[in-house]
Amino acid sequence: MSDDSSSALLTDHYELTMLQGALHSGAAPRRSVFEMFGRRLPEGRRYGIVSGTGRFLDLLERFRFDTAELDFLSDNGVVDDRTLEWLADYRFSGNVWGYGEGEAYFPGSPILVVEGTFAESVILETLALSVYNHDTAIASAASRMSVAAGGRPLIEMGSRRTHERSAVAAARAAYVAGFATSSNLEAGRTHGVPTGGTAAHAFTLLHDSERHAFKAQLESMGTGTTLLVDTFDVERAVATALELAGPELGAVRIDSGDLGATASRVRAQLDALGATGTRIVVTGDLDEYSILALAVAPVDGYGVGTSLVTGSGAPTVSLVYKLVARARGLEADAPLEPVAKRSVGKPSRGGRKWASRRLDDKGIAVAEEVFPHDPSPGVGLRPLLRPLVSEGVVVGRESVHEARERHRSTVAELPEQALRMSRGETALPTVFH
């Protein structure tokens, strides 16, 4: 999909079924409030990280039913003529509030609040959920990996393990949640994510010897490059790399074997040869647990692929988008009344909500507090919802760098138990007032 193409058909058929029915019943213009939230975190997770806000806002601006989209709907009998006429003029004109991208969230957190007519709001459900469920899953996993890395840089390198467009979104979400760079060039062009890359074993095998491969890379990239040293014999490769590059070699990469033990041997060899500043980067099926296990090893950076782009076992965070309030009548100023689903196992809480994070006197988070009204500002109460769209106009767009800084701040205020890698309970209680 190009950056200027319509996003309107990134939706489920049933959204338009409801739209057509609401137009028929006369309820389509009824003012409504939808909220997106998760009933629970993935099993064993202590917190989640919101991501996808920027991508959602970009797609919302392109949510238009142009000739091609209308022709498809008409040719396939998806909706009737009256609904086609309504869609032809569709422009979201309501308001959206949301947690800032990079913010932590917990069960019941109203991550996204959409207010507008029923018709214009209901058809955004699939778009919002597909973006946020994917990106939030990636960011939540990436945040745990960032914590486990303890300040050592992380490289996102999962493009070859997922759908080509998912790879770009995953790289963006990982950067928001603390990864330093990505291997994905489209993420660099589209989202401003810093990119980097070294070489694969194929580059070494292409040449007549490992020495020739290293020499070619050093001559073309300079001594600051990273050489892959585990194609054949690691110790011999390190010796060859330093013979060619000298002690100014930027880094070596280890991609196989016992990474901790190998890194220790390589560190000792590098130091003995005077390359005390040469870094060691490890890759190869890493996740937050293996990263944490390498904390005592002399490793300077990690490359993560498959585990990251699959959410480290939680490829979705099961967010839902539910109607929580509707106007008592069709008048524009009719008061809102709560509505809620009562299904066993899938209940929802009715009413428009406002969320804040309760902090103790040391600035550490102690609870997620959700109110039926906008609470008065107070000491130790940090509002979480911010305006994203006002009367149809995007007002809350931020750069990935701003979202990344928010992630850093929100993780810093979480209690210590939230950052443990072991399976545990949700770190903060969600208190509904």
Side-chain angles (χ1 to χ4, degrees), residues 158-179:
S159 296
R160 292 165 294 162
R161 299 293 185 265
T162 189
H163 186 277
E164 65 273 13
R165 300 308 303 181
S166 297
V168 181
R172 181 187 181 281
Y175 182 69
V176 166
F179 273 57

Side-chain angles (χ1 to χ4, degrees), residues 16 19-20 23 28 64-67 69-71 73-74 78-91 119 123:
L16 300 189
L19 169 63
Q20 180 172 314
L23 289 170
R64 306 282 188 268
F65 292 84
D66 298 325
T67 301
E69 289 72 41
L70 294 171
D71 285 348
L73 297 176
S74 177
V78 176
V79 292
D80 61 17
D81 289 344
R82 180 183 180 189
T83 306
L84 286 171
E85 291 177 8
W86 188 92
L87 291 172
D89 294 326
Y90 177 81
R91 299 290 185 274
I123 61 175

Side-chain angles (χ1 to χ4, degrees), residues 249-301:
L249 177 63
V252 295
R253 177 163 75 95
I254 306 167
D255 187 55
S256 58
D258 184 329
L259 296 177
T262 304
S264 294
R265 292 195 300 271
V266 169
R267 183 74 271 159
Q269 184 181 4
L270 290 170
D271 292 348
L273 294 173
T276 56
T278 299
R279 296 172 293 109
I280 298 175
V281 178
V282 296
T283 57
D285 295 326
L286 297 177
D287 61 13
E288 61 264 49
Y289 302 107
S290 53
I291 290 170
L292 185 64
L294 289 166
V296 297
V299 172
D300 300 290

